[in-house]
């Protein structure tokens, strides 16, 4: 017999005495109180009769001398024998797999009666399994793919010492010229100027069904290709109500980020190409771009360091993935006859060839126009030439140079010399000369008109 257990013996007494409640309990459990009493007196081990399906039970705790009173909860349905009760739970446990509140006991267990040692143990409900540790976050099947290499660090577009040495930007027009123009406005009619501005704005605001790509290139560097690209990007963004992207496809230390006013750059075309997927949303794409101060977005080709040139596969993947998010994309290509420049000129909806106002520059540009005329899809019809004057003392007559280029059948827009553009640094449109603004507006309108007509 286990320590603490003792066999139950029926106390002697008359019917109706204090032992009657034990007889009632055994009768409810299917036992025979007379046989049980005989077994307790030494008549031999005789198992009490039980009902089918009910285990044989025995009393482990001594019976009280009188029936127990009703519990504190007001349950007076029957006597309650005191026994070891587990302490109440202090509250829901925060540990994984902690047991919840205890289930209510059956009347037999509440009376302190448990199955014998040789009885089969009833099945217990399995303890709830501890929750598994959360799995590492994975990228959804249709979401953007994160780069395998660590994200590049941001790099300033200009050294802070150069920004101090840059000084204060000057206005494109001198004070004398601005004063004279203001006096002429008092005597001239403004109706003609308003009509011209309205026509240009209508050309720039033409709706598009798919993203239009305008490629800008030149025969050699240093003629104002990046400056013209920045001016076109700012003009499209000012007049259009949809998104405009200016993309740099010239990784040879291009000046487009500086001209666009970007203080620092981080992601480049080569970094973004392995990440882009057709399922990426606009909010995913813009996280890798540089927001321009006065509107629009910029994607540079380098971080101001000498790097590998942009390859044709990278350029195609970036432009095809981004053009569906932006109504107009201005591409600052490398100089001809580079591979990316030829690809951009061949696949763009409109082309702008920047030519310097020099004899050799105009002659080389003429050869480029003749090459465009030999392309199978007649790329010359969607090409505009920007004849840029980079010096106030130009020797070549700009009208004669423009006439020489028009012989190929293209439209030529002359961009005059501007002191603000010649000084370098970020472009501020409010400081541009009046003639420069008109020339850029006309150039943008001509390029947009040709880009929209291409199907």
């Amino acid at each position: 017999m286990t320590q603490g257990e003792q066999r139950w013996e029926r106390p002697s007494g008359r019917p109706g005495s204090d032992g009657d409640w034990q007889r009632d309990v055994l009768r409810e459990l299917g036992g025979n109180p007379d046989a049980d009493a005989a077994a307790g007196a030494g008549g031999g081990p005789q198992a009490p009769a039980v009902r089918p399906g009910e285990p044989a039970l025995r009393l482990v705790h001594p019976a009280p001398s009188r029936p127990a009173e009703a519990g504190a909860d007001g349950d007076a349905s029957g006597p309650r024998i005191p026994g070891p009760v587990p302490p109440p739970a202090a509250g829901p446990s925060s540990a994984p797999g902690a047991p919840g509140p205890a289930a209510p006991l059956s009347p037999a267990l509440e009376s302190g009666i448990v199955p014998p040692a040789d009885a089969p143990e009833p099945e217990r409900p399995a303890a709830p399994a501890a929750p598994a540790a959360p799995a590492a976050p994975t990228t959804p099947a249709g979401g953007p793919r994160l780069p395998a290499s660590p994200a590049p660090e941001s790099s300033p577009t200009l050294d802070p010492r150069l920004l101090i040495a840059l000084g204060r930007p000057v206005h494109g027009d001198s004070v004398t010229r601005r004063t004279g123009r203001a006096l002429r406005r008092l005597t001239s009619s403004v109706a003609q100027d308003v009509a011209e501005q309205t026509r240009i704005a209508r050309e720039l605001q033409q709706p598009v069904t798919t993203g239009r790509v305008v490629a800008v290139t030149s025969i050699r560097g240093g003629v104002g290709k990046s400056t013209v690209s920045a001016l076109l990007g700012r003009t499209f963004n000012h007049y259009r109500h949809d998104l405009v992207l200016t993309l740099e496809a010239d990784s040879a230390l291009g000046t487009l980020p500086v001209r666009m006013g970007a203080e620092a750059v981080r992601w480049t075309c080569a970094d973004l190409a392995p990440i882009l997927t057709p399922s990426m949303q606009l909010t995913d794409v813009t996280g890798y771009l540089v927001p321009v101060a006065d509107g629009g977005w910029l994607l540079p080709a380098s971080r101001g360091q000498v790097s590998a040139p942009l390859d044709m596969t990278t350029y195609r993947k970036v432009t095809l993935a981004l053009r569906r998010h932006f109504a107009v994309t201005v591409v600052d290509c490398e100089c001809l006859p580079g591979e990316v420049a030829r690809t951009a000129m061949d696949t763009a909806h409109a082309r702008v060839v920047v030519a310097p106002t020099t004899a050799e520059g105009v002659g080389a540009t003429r050869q480029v126009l003749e090459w465009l005329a030999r392309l199978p899809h007649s790329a010359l019809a969607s090409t505009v030439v920007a004849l840029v004057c980079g010096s106030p003392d130009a020797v070549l007559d700009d009208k004669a140079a423009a006439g020489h280029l028009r012989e190929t059948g293209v439209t030529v827009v002359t961009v005059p010399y501007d002191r603000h553009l010649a000084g370098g640094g970020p472009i501020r449109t409010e400081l541009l000369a009046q003639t420069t603004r008109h020339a850029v507006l006309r150039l943008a309108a001509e390029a947009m008109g040709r880009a929209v007509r291409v199907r």
Side-chain angles (χ1 to χ4, degrees):
M1 180 179 298
T2 308
Q3 183 178 3
E5 296 182 351
Q6 60 182 9
R7 297 195 55 89
W8 173 80
E9 297 181 359
R10 192 182 70 173
S12 59
R14 302 188 313 268
S17 64
D18 293 342
D20 293 342
W21 69 273
Q22 298 176 354
R23 183 184 301 274
D24 297 335
V25 170
L26 293 179
R27 185 179 295 106
E28 291 179 2
L29 296 178
N32 189 353
D34 298 331
D36 190 79
Q46 182 179 357
V50 296
R51 298 179 182 179
E54 294 186 356
L57 303 177
R58 59 178 176 175
L59 193 63
V60 264
H61 299 289
S65 58
R66 57 186 178 84
E69 298 178 357
D73 54 354
D75 184 11
S77 57
R80 189 183 300 270
I81 301 177
V85 180
S93 176
S94 59
L105 301 176
S106 63
L109 295 181
E110 287 183 353
S111 62
I113 303 175
V114 297
D118 55 352
E121 184 178 0
E123 296 184 0
R124 299 180 180 178
T138 56
T139 304
R145 294 178 298 176
L146 298 179
S149 58
E153 296 183 358
S154 179
S155 303
T157 55
L158 277 180
D159 192 282
R161 294 170 295 181
L162 292 178
L163 290 177
I164 299 176
L166 189 61
R168 182 179 180 181
V170 297
H171 200 283
D173 286 329
S174 61
V175 178
T176 304
R177 183 176 299 179
R178 282 178 283 171
T179 303
R181 185 169 58 250
L183 294 176
R184 286 192 298 270
R185 287 179 180 176
L186 298 177
T187 58
S188 62
S189 174
V190 297
Q192 185 176 0
D193 294 339
V194 172
E196 180 67 13
Q197 293 290 333
T198 303
R199 184 190 67 82
I200 293 178
R202 189 181 298 112
E203 288 285 333
L204 293 173
Q205 295 173 356
Q206 294 184 72
V208 295
T209 55
T210 57
R212 305 284 97 176
V213 178
V214 179
V216 182
T217 188
S218 62
I219 193 60
R220 60 181 176 86
V223 301
K225 173 177 61 65
S226 297
T227 300
V228 171
S229 301
L231 290 172
L232 289 177
R234 289 179 176 272
T235 303
F236 287 135
N237 182 77
H238 177 75
Y239 280 89
R240 298 191 63 86
H241 301 288
D242 38 26
L243 298 179
V244 176
L245 172 67
T246 306
L247 188 148
E248 185 182 28
D250 186 5
S251 57
L253 297 178
T255 59
L256 182 63
V258 179
R259 290 307 230 174
M260 295 292 291
E263 298 180 357
V265 295
R266 185 174 185 180
W267 295 91
T268 64
C269 291
D271 299 329
L272 194 57
I275 306 173
L276 289 175
T277 58
S279 60
M280 291 182 68
Q281 302 297 325
L282 177 62
T283 53
D284 302 324
V285 172
T286 53
Y288 301 99
L289 306 180
V290 179
V292 183
D294 55 352
W297 300 90
L298 167 68
L299 178 61
S302 65
R303 285 183 287 273
Q305 302 172 355
V306 179
S307 57
L310 194 68
D311 59 279
M312 183 179 60
T313 304
T314 301
Y315 171 78
R316 284 180 175 271
K317 184 175 182 180
V318 171
T319 52
L320 289 177
L322 294 182
R323 56 180 284 188
R324 68 188 187 92
H325 297 293
F326 298 91
V328 181
T329 301
V330 179
V331 181
D332 181 15
C333 305
E334 62 181 358
C335 298
L336 289 169
E339 182 183 24
V340 175
R342 295 199 308 269
T343 303
M345 296 293 287
D346 188 24
T347 58
H349 299 92
R351 302 151 187 85
V352 176
V353 180
V354 181
T357 313
T358 59
E360 61 274 14
V362 173
T365 303
R366 173 73 179 263
Q367 297 179 8
V368 171
L369 297 177
E370 293 175 353
W371 168 73
L372 290 174
R374 293 193 297 269
L375 292 179
H377 50 275
S378 182
L380 194 62
S382 56
T383 302
V384 184
V385 176
L387 188 61
V388 178
C389 184
S391 173
D393 303 322
V395 178
L396 186 66
D397 185 9
D398 56 348
K399 295 183 179 180
H404 181 71
L405 296 174
R406 288 192 185 99
E407 292 178 359
T408 59
V410 298
T411 301
V412 180
V413 178
T414 302
V415 181
Y417 172 78
D418 191 292
R419 296 190 310 169
H420 177 64
L421 297 178
I427 297 177
R428 297 175 56 180
T429 54
E430 68 274 9
L431 297 180
L432 293 176
Q434 187 70 19
T435 54
T436 304
R437 295 182 187 179
H438 291 166
V440 172
L441 285 176
R442 184 188 171 196
L443 179 64
E446 294 287 347
M448 192 66 200
R450 285 161 173 76
V452 172
R453 287 195 294 267
V454 176
R455 300 299 179 187

